[in-house]
Amino acid sequence: MNLATSRGGVLEIWGYRELIGRLVQRELGSRYKRSVLGWLWSMLNPAATLAIYALVFGVLLKFDPPRAGNGRFDNFALYLFCALVMWNAFYGVITGAMSALLDLGSLLGKVYFPPEAPAVAALFTVLFQAAIEASILMLILICLVNVSWTFLLWPVLLVFLSIFALGIGLMLSVWNVRYRDVGYLSTIALQFLFYVTPIVYPLSLIPERAMGLPVRDIIRLNPLSQFTEASRELLYGLDWPGVLRLGLMALISLAVGAGGWLMFKVRTRDIAEEL
């Protein structure tokens, strides 16, 4: 697949933007249908998750967070939330892409649309939820007078993460159609990835070496570690990762996103029959 074909594929997705918008509306409309609290769950779900992790890791296991960027407080729940919102987006994009192809892929045999359209729609659904979570987090930090221009860079970081996660999600979605074990293995892998990423603990807590291996460096090389740490730096520490680091994250995101998309396009040429 050459560059011209790739560009044509992107334009094709843009041509089906109305369909993608309808899929997003469909998902958002059905998410809390027949629920008494309705859209309040979009805030209650992450709040409940945050409370559980804050209790377990902030109180029972007692991981002390660093001082906030304004130097006035240290709060484990907020420190955790800055990384957790990134993880939620990463997890949601990958699982959303995998389930979207299975749920809507059967329609490919009846009517044509770009096979990646459902995954793109799932991406925008996740971004909507991430925007809600991030807005709540930023509002709390602003009330605590822990605010800086670095907040403006956070959406850029989320875009990089979305491209990175979508590339992985597209690759996994194809293999999940052919081998349903991929879905189960992905769940296990994501659980493992959660705990080897500095989300519920600071990276400094990890020993530099263990069993003869540079454990801290290995965890630092995990791209998701870079995203969670950068999110904390921008929102909690009021610092920025630097041009070189952001550029590297952008390069990795684009490489994984483009690679996953190209593989998806090649593998889904005859996928309608398998669905």
Side-chain angles (χ1 to χ4, degrees):
M1 185 178 294
N2 55 36
L3 184 59
T5 304
S6 302
R7 187 182 299 111
V10 174
L11 292 176
E12 184 182 31
I13 286 291
W14 175 252
Y16 281 82
R17 61 189 180 278
E18 184 176 349
L19 170 64
I20 294 173
R22 290 184 180 275
L23 291 176
V24 173
Q25 292 176 3
R26 173 177 173 269
E27 173 61 24
L28 292 176
S30 62
R31 177 167 293 189
Y32 302 111
K33 188 177 181 180
R34 296 183 181 179
S35 170
V36 175
L37 296 180
W39 278 94
L40 279 176
W41 284 113
S42 64
M43 295 180 285
L44 293 176
N45 279 330
T49 302
L50 176 63
I52 293 171
Y53 285 130
L55 174 63
V56 174
F57 296 99
V59 178
L60 302 180
L61 298 182
K62 194 59 179 177
F63 291 160
D64 294 323
R67 299 290 290 181
N70 62 6
R72 298 180 181 179
F73 67 92
D74 52 54
N75 185 289
F76 181 81
L78 294 176
Y79 181 77
L80 169 63
F81 202 5
C82 290
L84 193 61
V85 67
M86 276 285 157
W87 168 262
N88 288 343
F90 175 78
Y91 182 88
V93 172
I94 289 180
T95 57
M98 293 175 65
S99 61
L101 185 60
L102 285 178
D103 294 341
L104 297 173
S106 58
L107 295 176
L108 285 170
K110 302 175 182 178
V111 59
Y112 176 79
F113 57 86
E116 61 269 36
V120 175
L123 166 66
F124 283 110
T125 304
V126 172
L127 289 179
F128 182 81
Q129 177 65 37
I132 294 176
E133 296 177 10
S135 297
I136 295 172
L137 173 60
M138 291 181 185
L139 180 61
I140 295 173
L141 291 171
I142 290 172
C143 291
L144 294 172
V145 199
N146 192 72
V147 59
S148 174
W149 64 271
T150 56
F151 278 30
L152 300 177
L153 287 177
W154 192 87
V156 177
L157 190 67
L158 181 62
V159 170
F160 292 161
L161 175 76
S162 301
I163 296 172
F164 176 75
L166 183 61
I168 297 175
L170 287 174
M171 285 189 285
L172 291 177
S173 66
V174 174
W175 291 110
N176 190 42
V177 169
R178 297 182 177 178
Y179 309 102
R180 297 304 166 87
D181 305 84
V182 172
Y184 301 109
L185 291 173
S186 297
T187 300
I188 297 173
L190 286 170
Q191 290 177 346
F192 175 76
L193 182 60
F194 178 84
Y195 287 103
V196 297
T197 302
I199 298 173
V200 297
Y201 57 85
L203 185 60
S204 59
L205 189 68
I206 302 299
E208 292 188 5
R209 300 190 66 85
M211 298 180 293
L213 297 174
V215 180
R216 185 182 297 180
D217 289 338
I218 292 174
I219 291 180
R220 185 182 286 113
L221 289 175
N222 169 13
L224 193 56
S225 296
Q226 294 296 321
F227 283 110
T228 56
E229 288 292 294
S231 179
R232 279 175 171 151
E233 291 171 18
L234 292 172
L235 299 181
Y236 187 86
L238 305 183
D239 195 5
W240 77 303
V243 175
L244 181 60
R245 187 174 165 199
L246 283 175
L248 183 60
M249 293 168 69
L251 183 62
I252 292 174
S253 297
L254 291 173
V256 173
W261 183 74
L262 289 174
M263 175 185 170
F264 182 89
K265 294 295 288 184
V266 172
R267 297 284 183 177
T268 53
R269 288 173 180 171
D270 303 315
I271 203 170
E273 299 178 0
E274 299 184 40
L275 289 165

